Amino acid sequence: MQIRKTLFTAFLAAAALTASAQEQPKTEYVFQPHWYIQAQAGAQYTLGELSFSDLISPNGQVAVGYNFSKVLGARLGVGFYQSKAGTESCDYKNQWRAEWKWKYVAPAIDITADLTNLIGGYNPNRVVSVGIFAGIGANIGFSNDEAADAEKMLQTSYGKPSFGEDRYLRYLWDGTKVRLFGRAGASVDFRVSDVVSLGVEVNANTLNDKYNSKKAGNADWYFNALAGVKINLGKRYTTRTIEPVAPAVVEKVVEKIVEKPVVVEEKREEIRRDIFFTIRATEITLAESTKVKEVAEYMKKYPDSKVTVTGYADKNTGNAKINRDLSIKRANAVADALRLQHGIDAERIKVEAKGDTEQPYAENDLNRVSICIAE
């Protein structure tokens, strides 16, 4: 009977040790809203009746954007440079062909969505990110002189068109024309660093039938393929450490094996909680306040316990004096929360500040911290 009892106890202890070994602290990335700028260059295909290669022209785009969340953002972009068009047809008298190009500037507002974060969760270190967007804008066309020259050439070479109109280009325009357009597209970005990423984008744009000077009876379209660079402004994310939760051990009393209860003396151990702060901040966030509460609960459970609160600051921000002041304020913020919010006597709280002279963490951002050790 004693052997069976011993084996059963050893089995429970081994299971508890295995579960404890598997639980390690985890680092969680917290998204931060941020701005970015973007510059792209590429080619445009304007839908028309000539061959594909005859309707390719260069274009570019510059943009500024803001990511509100890990999935959604907005972008103000300005496309520019050149579109092309042409006509190739015949009637019972003649066969004709002409092509022309004109310039444009097209500001647009897009709503963007990061599909990779939506599906796979937020990870700022991911190498490849796929996104989609849709928006509206204004196409400002000008310098359409080549279309007018093409009309003159057709009139001179073939006379009046035979389809009952005065002009071959029935929607011929001059001067500056502003037309609303809608667009949608997709992008793929390749992360180079936290600041820089390279990317490609394709978008389709639709506007009224008069854009290319021809009458087709349906909307005109142009398509852009662009490649460029995106530069993030400001911090994209912060990190925080998630402390593992100790597994609950449920003991079963098996009547046939354990014949009398075993009294286990509770072993009191110290508790440590690291309260993290954002850059230059001295206020405790809602998420970190739960750690302060855990320290207070420990001290209420053990009325003779005391706590040491040590404030720190990261070395890569500010100077020694500023960081010394920050660490003092961070330590005092935790001490004040223990006293005023949780009723812990001030005589049980010791406050220290290290500034940036000591860095408890290898990762710079994690050193904006107050470390509480209660025992």
Side-chain angles (χ1 to χ4, degrees):
M1 179 67 70
Q2 186 62 34
I3 294 175
R4 291 176 61 191
K5 212 165 117 179
T6 302
L7 291 175
F8 183 72
T9 304
F11 172 77
L12 287 178
L17 286 172
T18 302
S20 177
Q22 291 174 348
E23 292 292 334
Q24 299 295 328
K26 296 180 181 179
T27 298
E28 181 182 58
Y29 295 104
V30 181
F31 173 85
Q32 296 293 311
H34 60 276
W35 293 90
Y36 64 86
I37 56 176
Q38 194 173 26
Q40 300 165 294
Q44 179 183 111
Y45 167 66
T46 312
L47 188 64
E49 57 198 76
L50 301 186
S51 65
F52 179 83
S53 59
D54 290 334
L55 297 175
I56 297 293
S57 55
N59 76 325
Q61 180 172 265
V62 293
V64 58
Y66 187 76
N67 289 324
F68 299 100
S69 71
K70 64 183 181 181
V71 175
L72 293 178
R75 179 179 71 170
L76 172 62
V78 181
F80 59 90
Y81 194 46
Q82 186 173 274
S83 293
K84 294 181 74 172
T87 179
E88 185 174 48
S89 188
C90 62
D91 57 20
Y92 64 89
K93 291 182 179 180
N94 303 304
Q95 179 176 353
W96 64 82
R97 186 183 189 281
E99 61 181 77
W100 58 94
K101 57 184 179 292
W102 65 99
K103 294 182 175 60
Y104 76 95
V105 175
I109 296 177
D110 299 319
I111 299 298
T112 63
D114 190 315
L115 295 183
T116 311
N117 285 340
L118 178 64
I119 297 171
Y122 181 63
N123 180 2
N125 296 321
R126 186 178 284 116
V127 176
V128 180
S129 297
V130 178
I132 57 174
F133 60 89
I136 59 174
N139 183 291
I140 306 168
F142 56 95
S143 298
N144 197 33
D145 300 332
E146 289 190 16
D149 293 340
E151 176 66 30
K152 290 178 184 178
M153 181 274 291
L154 292 170
Q155 294 273 4
T156 301
S157 300
Y158 306 111
K160 295 290 183 182
S162 58
F163 43 74
E165 298 284 347
D166 292 334
R167 296 184 297 190
Y168 289 86
L169 305 182
R170 285 171 278 183
Y171 286 154
L172 179 63
W173 54 272
D174 59 7
T176 300
K177 297 294 182 183
V178 180
R179 299 177 176 89
L180 293 177
F181 71 93
R183 73 171 180 174
S187 62
V188 180
D189 288 333
F190 302 89
R191 178 183 178 276
V192 177
S193 69
D194 279 351
V195 176
V196 178
S197 61
L198 304 178
V200 293
E201 173 183 321
V202 292
N203 59 63
N205 305 262
T206 182
L207 63 175
N208 69 35
D209 189 25
K210 297 183 180 181
Y211 183 59
N212 60 10
S213 299
K214 300 187 299 179
K215 183 177 181 180
N218 50 45
D220 287 337
W221 290 80
Y222 61 86
F223 305 88
N224 296 323
L226 303 161
V229 61
K230 179 189 291 184
I231 299 176
N232 295 303
L233 307 176
K235 201 168 191 64
R236 293 191 305 139
Y237 63 93
T238 58
T239 58
R240 65 182 179 188
T241 301
I242 302 175
E243 298 290 341
V245 178
V249 178
V250 180
E251 294 185 3
K252 285 188 177 181
V253 179
V254 182
E255 187 176 354
K256 292 184 179 180
I257 297 176
V258 182
E259 297 165 346
K260 59 182 179 179
V262 178
V263 178
V264 179
E265 183 179 351
E266 182 182 6
K267 184 179 179 181
R268 174 173 155 185
E269 297 180 351
E270 70 177 25
I271 180 174
R272 168 176 167 165
R273 292 294 182 266
D274 295 0
I275 292 85
F276 295 96
F277 295 80
T278 57
I279 186 168
R280 300 187 183 90
T282 59
E283 296 180 356
I284 302 172
T285 64
L286 181 62
E288 297 299 296
S289 64
T290 58
K291 299 178 183 178
V292 179
K293 182 180 178 182
E294 291 171 356
V295 174
E297 290 174 348
Y298 175 95
M299 299 185 73
K300 290 176 181 178
K301 182 177 179 180
Y302 303 106
D304 61 336
S305 63
K306 295 185 178 181
V307 63
T308 300
V309 183
T310 308
Y312 298 86
D314 70 286
K315 205 162 194 172
N316 290 352
T317 306
N319 55 45
K321 181 180 183 306
I322 291 173
N323 290 338
R324 173 69 180 176
D325 292 341
L326 278 175
S327 67
I328 292 171
K329 291 177 180 178
R330 286 167 178 166
N332 284 334
V334 176
D336 289 344
L338 288 170
R339 288 190 305 104
L340 302 177
Q341 296 177 20
H342 300 287
I344 303 301
D345 193 325
E347 293 182 356
R348 300 173 64 192
I349 304 171
K350 180 180 178 182
V351 175
E352 297 180 350
K354 301 294 185 180
D356 59 11
T357 59
E358 294 183 18
Q359 301 286 274
Y361 283 95
E363 183 174 344
N364 178 67
D365 291 358
L366 296 181
N367 292 309
R368 304 163 190 150
V369 67
S370 286
I371 297 178
C372 301
I373 301 176
E375 57 183 346

